[in-house]
Short mmCIF file of all heavy atoms in Angstrom, two decimals:
data_model
loop_
_atom_site.label_atom_id
_atom_site.label_comp_id
_atom_site.label_asym_id
_atom_site.label_seq_id
_atom_site.Cartn_x
_atom_site.Cartn_y
_atom_site.Cartn_z
N MET A 1145 47.29 -19.79 -34.64
CA MET A 1145 48.06 -18.57 -34.73
C MET A 1145 49.10 -18.60 -33.61
O MET A 1145 48.79 -18.84 -32.46
CB MET A 1145 47.17 -17.34 -34.59
CG MET A 1145 47.97 -16.09 -34.66
SD MET A 1145 47.22 -14.45 -34.48
CE MET A 1145 45.52 -14.59 -34.48
N ARG A 1146 50.31 -18.28 -34.00
CA ARG A 1146 51.39 -18.24 -33.03
C ARG A 1146 51.51 -16.85 -32.43
O ARG A 1146 50.96 -15.88 -32.94
CB ARG A 1146 52.70 -18.61 -33.72
CG ARG A 1146 52.72 -20.09 -34.17
CD ARG A 1146 54.00 -20.43 -34.84
NE ARG A 1146 53.99 -19.77 -36.15
CZ ARG A 1146 55.03 -19.60 -36.93
NH1 ARG A 1146 56.20 -20.04 -36.53
NH2 ARG A 1146 54.93 -19.01 -38.09
N LEU A 1147 52.24 -16.77 -31.35
CA LEU A 1147 52.45 -15.50 -30.66
C LEU A 1147 53.18 -14.51 -31.57
O LEU A 1147 52.87 -13.31 -31.57
CB LEU A 1147 53.23 -15.72 -29.37
CG LEU A 1147 53.51 -14.48 -28.53
CD1 LEU A 1147 52.20 -13.83 -28.10
CD2 LEU A 1147 54.36 -14.82 -27.33
N ARG A 1148 54.09 -15.02 -32.37
CA ARG A 1148 54.84 -14.15 -33.29
C ARG A 1148 53.89 -13.51 -34.32
O ARG A 1148 54.01 -12.33 -34.63
CB ARG A 1148 55.92 -14.97 -33.99
CG ARG A 1148 56.75 -14.15 -34.93
CD ARG A 1148 57.91 -14.98 -35.48
NE ARG A 1148 58.75 -14.14 -36.30
CZ ARG A 1148 59.02 -14.38 -37.57
NH1 ARG A 1148 58.54 -15.47 -38.14
NH2 ARG A 1148 59.77 -13.56 -38.25
N ASP A 1149 52.97 -14.28 -34.85
CA ASP A 1149 52.00 -13.74 -35.81
C ASP A 1149 51.11 -12.68 -35.17
O ASP A 1149 50.82 -11.65 -35.77
CB ASP A 1149 51.13 -14.86 -36.38
CG ASP A 1149 51.91 -15.87 -37.19
OD1 ASP A 1149 52.99 -15.49 -37.72
OD2 ASP A 1149 51.46 -17.03 -37.28
N TRP A 1150 50.67 -12.94 -33.96
CA TRP A 1150 49.83 -11.97 -33.26
C TRP A 1150 50.58 -10.68 -32.99
O TRP A 1150 50.04 -9.59 -33.16
CB TRP A 1150 49.35 -12.58 -31.94
CG TRP A 1150 48.44 -11.67 -31.19
CD1 TRP A 1150 47.10 -11.52 -31.38
CD2 TRP A 1150 48.81 -10.77 -30.14
NE1 TRP A 1150 46.61 -10.57 -30.51
CE2 TRP A 1150 47.65 -10.09 -29.73
CE3 TRP A 1150 50.01 -10.47 -29.51
CZ2 TRP A 1150 47.64 -9.14 -28.73
CZ3 TRP A 1150 50.00 -9.51 -28.51
CH2 TRP A 1150 48.84 -8.86 -28.13
N ALA A 1151 51.85 -10.79 -32.58
CA ALA A 1151 52.67 -9.60 -32.31
C ALA A 1151 52.91 -8.80 -33.59
O ALA A 1151 52.86 -7.57 -33.58
CB ALA A 1151 54.00 -10.01 -31.68
N GLN A 1152 53.15 -9.48 -34.68
CA GLN A 1152 53.39 -8.79 -35.95
C GLN A 1152 52.11 -8.07 -36.41
O GLN A 1152 52.16 -6.91 -36.84
CB GLN A 1152 53.84 -9.78 -37.02
CG GLN A 1152 54.24 -9.14 -38.32
CD GLN A 1152 54.73 -10.16 -39.33
OE1 GLN A 1152 54.62 -11.36 -39.12
NE2 GLN A 1152 55.29 -9.68 -40.41
N GLY A 1153 50.98 -8.71 -36.32
CA GLY A 1153 49.72 -8.08 -36.70
C GLY A 1153 49.39 -6.89 -35.81
O GLY A 1153 48.92 -5.85 -36.28
N SER A 1154 49.64 -7.03 -34.52
CA SER A 1154 49.39 -5.94 -33.60
C SER A 1154 50.29 -4.75 -33.87
O SER A 1154 49.86 -3.60 -33.78
CB SER A 1154 49.59 -6.40 -32.15
OG SER A 1154 48.67 -7.41 -31.84
N SER A 1155 51.55 -5.01 -34.21
CA SER A 1155 52.46 -3.90 -34.49
C SER A 1155 52.06 -3.16 -35.77
O SER A 1155 52.16 -1.94 -35.84
CB SER A 1155 53.90 -4.40 -34.59
OG SER A 1155 54.06 -5.26 -35.70
N VAL A 1156 51.58 -3.88 -36.78
CA VAL A 1156 51.11 -3.23 -38.00
C VAL A 1156 49.87 -2.39 -37.69
O VAL A 1156 49.75 -1.24 -38.14
CB VAL A 1156 50.81 -4.28 -39.09
CG1 VAL A 1156 50.07 -3.65 -40.26
CG2 VAL A 1156 52.09 -4.94 -39.56
N PHE A 1157 48.97 -2.92 -36.92
CA PHE A 1157 47.76 -2.19 -36.53
C PHE A 1157 48.11 -0.92 -35.77
O PHE A 1157 47.57 0.16 -36.05
CB PHE A 1157 46.87 -3.11 -35.69
CG PHE A 1157 45.54 -2.54 -35.35
CD1 PHE A 1157 44.56 -2.38 -36.32
CD2 PHE A 1157 45.25 -2.16 -34.05
CE1 PHE A 1157 43.32 -1.86 -36.00
CE2 PHE A 1157 44.02 -1.63 -33.73
CZ PHE A 1157 43.05 -1.48 -34.71
N LEU A 1158 49.04 -1.03 -34.85
CA LEU A 1158 49.47 0.13 -34.07
C LEU A 1158 50.17 1.16 -34.97
O LEU A 1158 49.94 2.37 -34.83
CB LEU A 1158 50.41 -0.30 -32.94
CG LEU A 1158 50.91 0.80 -32.03
CD1 LEU A 1158 49.76 1.44 -31.29
CD2 LEU A 1158 51.93 0.24 -31.05
N ALA A 1159 50.98 0.70 -35.90
CA ALA A 1159 51.68 1.62 -36.82
C ALA A 1159 50.68 2.39 -37.68
O ALA A 1159 50.86 3.58 -37.94
CB ALA A 1159 52.66 0.85 -37.69
N VAL A 1160 49.63 1.75 -38.13
CA VAL A 1160 48.61 2.43 -38.94
C VAL A 1160 47.88 3.48 -38.12
O VAL A 1160 47.62 4.60 -38.60
CB VAL A 1160 47.62 1.40 -39.53
CG1 VAL A 1160 46.41 2.08 -40.14
CG2 VAL A 1160 48.31 0.54 -40.56
N ILE A 1161 47.57 3.17 -36.88
CA ILE A 1161 46.90 4.15 -36.01
C ILE A 1161 47.79 5.35 -35.76
O ILE A 1161 47.35 6.51 -35.85
CB ILE A 1161 46.47 3.48 -34.69
CG1 ILE A 1161 45.33 2.52 -34.94
CG2 ILE A 1161 46.07 4.53 -33.66
CD1 ILE A 1161 44.93 1.70 -33.74
N VAL A 1162 49.06 5.13 -35.46
CA VAL A 1162 49.99 6.23 -35.20
C VAL A 1162 50.18 7.07 -36.45
O VAL A 1162 50.17 8.31 -36.40
CB VAL A 1162 51.34 5.69 -34.67
CG1 VAL A 1162 52.40 6.77 -34.64
CG2 VAL A 1162 51.15 5.09 -33.30
N ALA A 1163 50.33 6.44 -37.61
CA ALA A 1163 50.50 7.19 -38.87
C ALA A 1163 49.26 8.03 -39.17
O ALA A 1163 49.37 9.17 -39.63
CB ALA A 1163 50.79 6.23 -40.01
N GLY A 1164 48.08 7.50 -38.92
CA GLY A 1164 46.86 8.26 -39.13
C GLY A 1164 46.77 9.47 -38.22
O GLY A 1164 46.37 10.56 -38.65
N TYR A 1165 47.15 9.30 -36.97
CA TYR A 1165 47.12 10.42 -36.03
C TYR A 1165 48.12 11.50 -36.43
O TYR A 1165 47.80 12.69 -36.42
CB TYR A 1165 47.42 9.93 -34.61
CG TYR A 1165 47.49 11.05 -33.61
CD1 TYR A 1165 46.34 11.67 -33.16
CD2 TYR A 1165 48.71 11.52 -33.16
CE1 TYR A 1165 46.39 12.71 -32.26
CE2 TYR A 1165 48.79 12.57 -32.26
CZ TYR A 1165 47.63 13.16 -31.81
OH TYR A 1165 47.69 14.20 -30.93
N VAL A 1166 49.32 11.10 -36.79
CA VAL A 1166 50.35 12.07 -37.18
C VAL A 1166 49.93 12.82 -38.43
O VAL A 1166 50.08 14.04 -38.51
CB VAL A 1166 51.71 11.36 -37.37
CG1 VAL A 1166 52.72 12.28 -38.01
CG2 VAL A 1166 52.23 10.86 -36.04
N SER A 1167 49.41 12.12 -39.42
CA SER A 1167 49.01 12.81 -40.66
C SER A 1167 47.81 13.73 -40.42
O SER A 1167 47.74 14.81 -41.00
CB SER A 1167 48.69 11.80 -41.76
OG SER A 1167 47.55 11.04 -41.43
N THR A 1168 46.90 13.35 -39.55
CA THR A 1168 45.76 14.21 -39.24
C THR A 1168 46.22 15.48 -38.54
O THR A 1168 45.75 16.57 -38.86
CB THR A 1168 44.75 13.45 -38.36
OG1 THR A 1168 44.32 12.29 -39.04
CG2 THR A 1168 43.55 14.31 -38.04
N SER A 1169 47.15 15.34 -37.62
CA SER A 1169 47.67 16.52 -36.93
C SER A 1169 48.37 17.45 -37.91
O SER A 1169 48.20 18.67 -37.85
CB SER A 1169 48.67 16.10 -35.84
OG SER A 1169 48.04 15.30 -34.90
N TYR A 1170 49.13 16.89 -38.84
CA TYR A 1170 49.83 17.71 -39.83
C TYR A 1170 48.83 18.45 -40.72
O TYR A 1170 48.97 19.65 -40.96
CB TYR A 1170 50.74 16.84 -40.69
CG TYR A 1170 51.31 17.59 -41.87
CD1 TYR A 1170 52.35 18.49 -41.70
CD2 TYR A 1170 50.79 17.42 -43.15
CE1 TYR A 1170 52.87 19.19 -42.78
CE2 TYR A 1170 51.30 18.12 -44.22
CZ TYR A 1170 52.34 19.00 -44.03
OH TYR A 1170 52.84 19.69 -45.09
N VAL A 1171 47.83 17.77 -41.20
CA VAL A 1171 46.84 18.39 -42.09
C VAL A 1171 46.07 19.48 -41.35
O VAL A 1171 45.83 20.56 -41.90
CB VAL A 1171 45.88 17.32 -42.66
CG1 VAL A 1171 44.69 17.96 -43.35
CG2 VAL A 1171 46.63 16.43 -43.63
N ASP A 1172 45.70 19.22 -40.10
CA ASP A 1172 44.99 20.24 -39.32
C ASP A 1172 45.83 21.50 -39.16
O ASP A 1172 45.33 22.61 -39.32
CB ASP A 1172 44.61 19.71 -37.94
CG ASP A 1172 43.46 18.73 -38.00
OD1 ASP A 1172 42.79 18.67 -39.04
OD2 ASP A 1172 43.25 18.03 -36.99
N GLN A 1173 47.11 21.36 -38.86
CA GLN A 1173 47.97 22.52 -38.68
C GLN A 1173 48.22 23.22 -40.00
O GLN A 1173 48.25 24.44 -40.08
CB GLN A 1173 49.30 22.10 -38.07
CG GLN A 1173 49.18 21.66 -36.64
CD GLN A 1173 50.49 21.12 -36.10
OE1 GLN A 1173 51.48 21.05 -36.81
NE2 GLN A 1173 50.48 20.73 -34.84
N ARG A 1174 48.38 22.47 -41.07
CA ARG A 1174 48.72 23.05 -42.37
C ARG A 1174 47.57 23.87 -42.93
O ARG A 1174 47.75 24.97 -43.39
CB ARG A 1174 49.06 21.92 -43.34
CG ARG A 1174 49.20 22.33 -44.77
CD ARG A 1174 50.65 22.55 -45.13
NE ARG A 1174 50.81 22.59 -46.56
CZ ARG A 1174 50.88 23.73 -47.23
NH1 ARG A 1174 50.80 24.86 -46.61
NH2 ARG A 1174 51.03 23.72 -48.54
N PHE A 1175 46.36 23.32 -42.91
CA PHE A 1175 45.24 24.00 -43.53
C PHE A 1175 44.52 24.96 -42.59
O PHE A 1175 43.78 25.81 -43.05
CB PHE A 1175 44.26 22.99 -44.13
CG PHE A 1175 44.85 22.31 -45.33
CD1 PHE A 1175 45.15 20.96 -45.29
CD2 PHE A 1175 45.13 23.01 -46.47
CE1 PHE A 1175 45.71 20.33 -46.37
CE2 PHE A 1175 45.69 22.40 -47.56
CZ PHE A 1175 45.98 21.05 -47.52
N ALA A 1176 44.72 24.85 -41.30
CA ALA A 1176 44.12 25.82 -40.38
C ALA A 1176 44.79 27.18 -40.55
O ALA A 1176 44.14 28.22 -40.43
CB ALA A 1176 44.26 25.35 -38.94
N SER A 1177 46.08 27.19 -40.88
CA SER A 1177 46.77 28.46 -41.07
C SER A 1177 46.32 29.15 -42.36
O SER A 1177 46.36 30.36 -42.44
CB SER A 1177 48.28 28.24 -41.09
OG SER A 1177 48.64 27.45 -42.21
N ILE A 1178 45.88 28.41 -43.34
CA ILE A 1178 45.41 29.01 -44.60
C ILE A 1178 44.10 29.75 -44.37
O ILE A 1178 43.89 30.84 -44.89
CB ILE A 1178 45.23 27.93 -45.69
CG1 ILE A 1178 46.59 27.39 -46.10
CG2 ILE A 1178 44.50 28.50 -46.90
CD1 ILE A 1178 46.51 26.24 -47.07
N GLY A 1179 43.22 29.19 -43.56
CA GLY A 1179 41.91 29.79 -43.33
C GLY A 1179 41.95 31.05 -42.48
O GLY A 1179 40.97 31.78 -42.43
N THR A 1180 43.04 31.33 -41.80
CA THR A 1180 43.09 32.49 -40.92
C THR A 1180 43.56 33.75 -41.61
O THR A 1180 43.69 34.78 -40.97
CB THR A 1180 44.03 32.20 -39.73
OG1 THR A 1180 45.33 31.90 -40.22
CG2 THR A 1180 43.51 31.04 -38.90
N HIS A 1181 43.81 33.73 -42.90
CA HIS A 1181 44.32 34.89 -43.61
C HIS A 1181 43.21 35.71 -44.26
O HIS A 1181 43.38 36.28 -45.33
CB HIS A 1181 45.34 34.47 -44.67
CG HIS A 1181 46.56 33.84 -44.09
ND1 HIS A 1181 47.43 34.52 -43.27
CD2 HIS A 1181 47.05 32.60 -44.19
CE1 HIS A 1181 48.41 33.72 -42.91
NE2 HIS A 1181 48.20 32.53 -43.44
N ALA A 1182 42.07 35.78 -43.63
CA ALA A 1182 40.96 36.58 -44.15
C ALA A 1182 41.25 38.06 -43.87
O ALA A 1182 41.87 38.41 -42.88
CB ALA A 1182 39.65 36.17 -43.49
N PRO A 1183 40.79 38.95 -44.73
CA PRO A 1183 41.02 40.37 -44.48
C PRO A 1183 40.32 40.83 -43.20
O PRO A 1183 39.19 40.44 -42.94
CB PRO A 1183 40.44 41.06 -45.71
CG PRO A 1183 39.57 40.06 -46.37
CD PRO A 1183 40.06 38.71 -45.96
N ALA A 1184 40.98 41.68 -42.44
CA ALA A 1184 40.44 42.11 -41.16
C ALA A 1184 39.36 43.18 -41.34
O ALA A 1184 38.47 43.30 -40.52
CB ALA A 1184 41.55 42.66 -40.29
N ASN A 1185 39.44 43.95 -42.40
CA ASN A 1185 38.45 45.01 -42.60
C ASN A 1185 37.50 44.60 -43.72
O ASN A 1185 37.86 44.49 -44.85
CB ASN A 1185 39.13 46.33 -42.93
CG ASN A 1185 40.05 46.20 -44.12
OD1 ASN A 1185 40.23 45.11 -44.65
ND2 ASN A 1185 40.63 47.31 -44.55
N GLY A 1186 36.26 44.39 -43.36
CA GLY A 1186 35.25 44.03 -44.35
C GLY A 1186 34.85 42.57 -44.25
O GLY A 1186 35.47 41.79 -43.55
N PRO A 1187 33.79 42.20 -44.95
CA PRO A 1187 33.30 40.82 -44.89
C PRO A 1187 34.24 39.86 -45.64
O PRO A 1187 34.97 40.27 -46.54
CB PRO A 1187 31.93 40.90 -45.57
CG PRO A 1187 32.05 42.06 -46.49
CD PRO A 1187 32.97 43.04 -45.80
N ALA A 1188 34.19 38.62 -45.25
CA ALA A 1188 35.00 37.60 -45.91
C ALA A 1188 34.47 37.37 -47.33
O ALA A 1188 33.27 37.44 -47.57
CB ALA A 1188 34.95 36.31 -45.11
N PRO A 1189 35.35 37.09 -48.29
CA PRO A 1189 34.88 36.84 -49.65
C PRO A 1189 34.09 35.54 -49.70
O PRO A 1189 34.37 34.59 -48.97
CB PRO A 1189 36.18 36.72 -50.45
CG PRO A 1189 37.22 36.37 -49.46
CD PRO A 1189 36.79 36.99 -48.17
N THR A 1190 33.09 35.51 -50.55
CA THR A 1190 32.26 34.31 -50.66
C THR A 1190 32.83 33.38 -51.71
O THR A 1190 33.45 33.82 -52.68
CB THR A 1190 30.82 34.69 -51.04
OG1 THR A 1190 30.86 35.39 -52.28
CG2 THR A 1190 30.18 35.54 -49.98
N THR A 1191 32.61 32.11 -51.52
CA THR A 1191 33.06 31.11 -52.47
C THR A 1191 32.09 31.09 -53.64
O THR A 1191 30.88 31.11 -53.45
CB THR A 1191 33.08 29.73 -51.79
OG1 THR A 1191 33.94 29.82 -50.67
CG2 THR A 1191 33.57 28.68 -52.73
N CYS A 1192 32.64 31.06 -54.86
CA CYS A 1192 31.78 31.02 -56.02
C CYS A 1192 32.48 30.26 -57.15
O CYS A 1192 33.68 30.01 -57.10
CB CYS A 1192 31.41 32.43 -56.47
SG CYS A 1192 32.82 33.45 -56.93
N VAL A 1193 31.71 29.91 -58.17
CA VAL A 1193 32.22 29.17 -59.31
C VAL A 1193 32.30 30.12 -60.50
O VAL A 1193 31.32 30.78 -60.85
CB VAL A 1193 31.28 27.99 -59.66
CG1 VAL A 1193 31.82 27.20 -60.83
CG2 VAL A 1193 31.09 27.10 -58.46
N GLY A 1194 33.47 30.17 -61.15
CA GLY A 1194 33.65 31.02 -62.32
C GLY A 1194 33.02 30.41 -63.56
O GLY A 1194 32.52 29.28 -63.54
N GLU A 1195 33.03 31.15 -64.67
CA GLU A 1195 32.44 30.66 -65.90
C GLU A 1195 33.16 29.44 -66.45
O GLU A 1195 32.56 28.59 -67.10
CB GLU A 1195 32.43 31.77 -66.95
CG GLU A 1195 31.45 32.87 -66.64
CD GLU A 1195 31.41 33.91 -67.75
OE1 GLU A 1195 31.88 33.61 -68.86
OE2 GLU A 1195 30.90 35.00 -67.49
N ASP A 1196 34.48 29.34 -66.17
CA ASP A 1196 35.24 28.20 -66.65
C ASP A 1196 35.18 27.00 -65.70
O ASP A 1196 35.81 25.98 -65.93
CB ASP A 1196 36.70 28.60 -66.87
CG ASP A 1196 37.37 29.09 -65.60
OD1 ASP A 1196 36.66 29.31 -64.60
OD2 ASP A 1196 38.60 29.27 -65.62
N GLY A 1197 34.41 27.10 -64.63
CA GLY A 1197 34.25 26.01 -63.68
C GLY A 1197 35.26 26.03 -62.55
O GLY A 1197 35.27 25.14 -61.71
N SER A 1198 36.13 27.03 -62.51
CA SER A 1198 37.12 27.12 -61.43
C SER A 1198 36.51 27.76 -60.20
O SER A 1198 35.57 28.54 -60.29
CB SER A 1198 38.34 27.91 -61.90
OG SER A 1198 37.96 29.24 -62.20
N TRP A 1199 37.06 27.44 -59.04
CA TRP A 1199 36.55 27.95 -57.78
C TRP A 1199 37.30 29.20 -57.38
O TRP A 1199 38.52 29.26 -57.48
CB TRP A 1199 36.68 26.89 -56.69
CG TRP A 1199 35.81 25.72 -56.97
CD1 TRP A 1199 36.15 24.61 -57.68
CD2 TRP A 1199 34.47 25.55 -56.58
NE1 TRP A 1199 35.11 23.75 -57.76
CE2 TRP A 1199 34.05 24.30 -57.08
CE3 TRP A 1199 33.57 26.31 -55.85
CZ2 TRP A 1199 32.77 23.81 -56.87
CZ3 TRP A 1199 32.30 25.81 -55.65
CH2 TRP A 1199 31.91 24.59 -56.15
N LYS A 1200 36.60 30.19 -56.91
CA LYS A 1200 37.18 31.45 -56.46
C LYS A 1200 37.02 31.56 -54.94
O LYS A 1200 35.99 31.17 -54.40
CB LYS A 1200 36.50 32.64 -57.13
CG LYS A 1200 36.38 32.54 -58.63
CD LYS A 1200 37.72 32.64 -59.30
CE LYS A 1200 37.50 32.59 -60.81
NZ LYS A 1200 38.62 32.09 -61.52
N ASN A 1201 38.03 32.11 -54.27
CA ASN A 1201 37.99 32.39 -52.83
C ASN A 1201 37.82 31.12 -51.99
O ASN A 1201 37.11 31.12 -51.00
CB ASN A 1201 36.86 33.37 -52.49
CG ASN A 1201 37.00 34.65 -53.25
OD1 ASN A 1201 38.10 35.13 -53.47
ND2 ASN A 1201 35.89 35.22 -53.67
N TRP A 1202 38.47 30.04 -52.39
CA TRP A 1202 38.40 28.80 -51.63
C TRP A 1202 39.81 28.25 -51.50
O TRP A 1202 40.36 27.71 -52.45
CB TRP A 1202 37.49 27.80 -52.32
CG TRP A 1202 37.18 26.61 -51.47
CD1 TRP A 1202 37.65 25.36 -51.63
CD2 TRP A 1202 36.32 26.56 -50.33
NE1 TRP A 1202 37.17 24.53 -50.66
CE2 TRP A 1202 36.35 25.25 -49.85
CE3 TRP A 1202 35.56 27.50 -49.65
CZ2 TRP A 1202 35.62 24.86 -48.73
CZ3 TRP A 1202 34.85 27.10 -48.55
CH2 TRP A 1202 34.86 25.80 -48.10
N PRO A 1203 40.45 28.34 -50.31
CA PRO A 1203 41.86 27.97 -50.16
C PRO A 1203 42.13 26.48 -50.02
O PRO A 1203 43.25 26.05 -50.18
CB PRO A 1203 42.28 28.71 -48.89
CG PRO A 1203 41.03 28.80 -48.09
CD PRO A 1203 39.92 28.96 -49.10
N TRP A 1204 41.13 25.66 -49.76
CA TRP A 1204 41.36 24.24 -49.51
C TRP A 1204 41.20 23.43 -50.78
O TRP A 1204 40.54 23.86 -51.73
CB TRP A 1204 40.39 23.73 -48.44
CG TRP A 1204 40.62 24.39 -47.13
CD1 TRP A 1204 41.63 24.14 -46.25
CD2 TRP A 1204 39.86 25.45 -46.55
NE1 TRP A 1204 41.54 24.95 -45.16
CE2 TRP A 1204 40.46 25.77 -45.32
CE3 TRP A 1204 38.74 26.16 -46.95
CZ2 TRP A 1204 39.97 26.76 -44.49
CZ3 TRP A 1204 38.26 27.14 -46.13
CH2 TRP A 1204 38.87 27.43 -44.91
N PRO A 1205 41.77 22.22 -50.84
CA PRO A 1205 41.68 21.42 -52.05
C PRO A 1205 40.28 20.86 -52.31
O PRO A 1205 39.94 20.59 -53.45
CB PRO A 1205 42.69 20.30 -51.84
CG PRO A 1205 42.90 20.22 -50.38
CD PRO A 1205 42.64 21.60 -49.83
N ASN A 1206 39.49 20.67 -51.28
CA ASN A 1206 38.12 20.22 -51.51
C ASN A 1206 37.22 21.45 -51.65
O ASN A 1206 37.49 22.49 -51.10
CB ASN A 1206 37.65 19.33 -50.37
CG ASN A 1206 37.63 20.05 -49.05
OD1 ASN A 1206 38.32 21.04 -48.87
ND2 ASN A 1206 36.85 19.57 -48.11
N VAL A 1207 36.17 21.33 -52.40
CA VAL A 1207 35.31 22.49 -52.66
C VAL A 1207 33.86 22.16 -52.28
O VAL A 1207 33.44 21.02 -52.36
CB VAL A 1207 35.37 22.92 -54.14
CG1 VAL A 1207 36.71 23.50 -54.45
CG2 VAL A 1207 35.09 21.75 -55.05
N PRO A 1208 33.10 23.17 -51.85
CA PRO A 1208 31.71 22.91 -51.48
C PRO A 1208 30.84 22.69 -52.72
O PRO A 1208 31.06 23.25 -53.78
CB PRO A 1208 31.30 24.20 -50.77
CG PRO A 1208 32.20 25.24 -51.31
CD PRO A 1208 33.49 24.55 -51.62
N THR A 1209 29.86 21.86 -52.55
CA THR A 1209 28.93 21.57 -53.62
C THR A 1209 27.87 22.66 -53.67
O THR A 1209 27.49 23.23 -52.67
CB THR A 1209 28.26 20.21 -53.36
OG1 THR A 1209 29.30 19.26 -53.16
CG2 THR A 1209 27.42 19.77 -54.54
N LEU A 1210 27.38 22.93 -54.86
CA LEU A 1210 26.29 23.88 -55.09
C LEU A 1210 26.61 25.31 -54.68
O LEU A 1210 25.76 26.04 -54.19
CB LEU A 1210 25.01 23.41 -54.37
CG LEU A 1210 24.50 22.03 -54.75
CD1 LEU A 1210 23.33 21.63 -53.87
CD2 LEU A 1210 24.10 21.98 -56.21
N SER A 1211 27.84 25.74 -54.90
CA SER A 1211 28.18 27.14 -54.65
C SER A 1211 27.62 28.00 -55.77
O SER A 1211 27.46 27.54 -56.90
CB SER A 1211 29.70 27.31 -54.58
OG SER A 1211 30.20 26.74 -53.41
N PRO A 1212 27.33 29.25 -55.48
CA PRO A 1212 26.75 30.13 -56.50
C PRO A 1212 27.75 30.51 -57.58
O PRO A 1212 28.96 30.42 -57.39
CB PRO A 1212 26.32 31.36 -55.69
CG PRO A 1212 27.23 31.36 -54.51
CD PRO A 1212 27.49 29.92 -54.20
N LYS A 1213 27.24 30.95 -58.70
CA LYS A 1213 28.09 31.44 -59.80
C LYS A 1213 28.67 32.79 -59.42
O LYS A 1213 28.05 33.58 -58.70
CB LYS A 1213 27.26 31.59 -61.09
CG LYS A 1213 26.62 30.32 -61.57
CD LYS A 1213 27.64 29.42 -62.17
CE LYS A 1213 26.95 28.15 -62.71
NZ LYS A 1213 27.88 27.12 -63.03
N CYS A 1214 29.89 33.07 -59.89
CA CYS A 1214 30.52 34.36 -59.62
C CYS A 1214 29.83 35.44 -60.45
O CYS A 1214 29.44 35.21 -61.59
CB CYS A 1214 32.00 34.33 -59.96
SG CYS A 1214 32.96 33.27 -58.87
N PRO A 1215 29.71 36.65 -59.87
CA PRO A 1215 29.08 37.74 -60.63
C PRO A 1215 29.97 38.22 -61.75
O PRO A 1215 31.11 38.07 -61.82
CB PRO A 1215 28.88 38.83 -59.59
CG PRO A 1215 29.64 38.45 -58.39
CD PRO A 1215 30.01 37.02 -58.52
#
């Protein structure tokens, strides 16, 4: 392996680490603001599954497993 090959591989590795950090910071800021919009008066709404299989009261794209059915 030549020095040029090592430098190229190291730069790709470093670029992947930096891109991962930047995207993680963006996602944390983007979705943290969604979770803070809960109503101030009264309990927070619970996550539940509707009859059609859709999720209610869940602002994020991933959903919890085994949530209760909506009343």
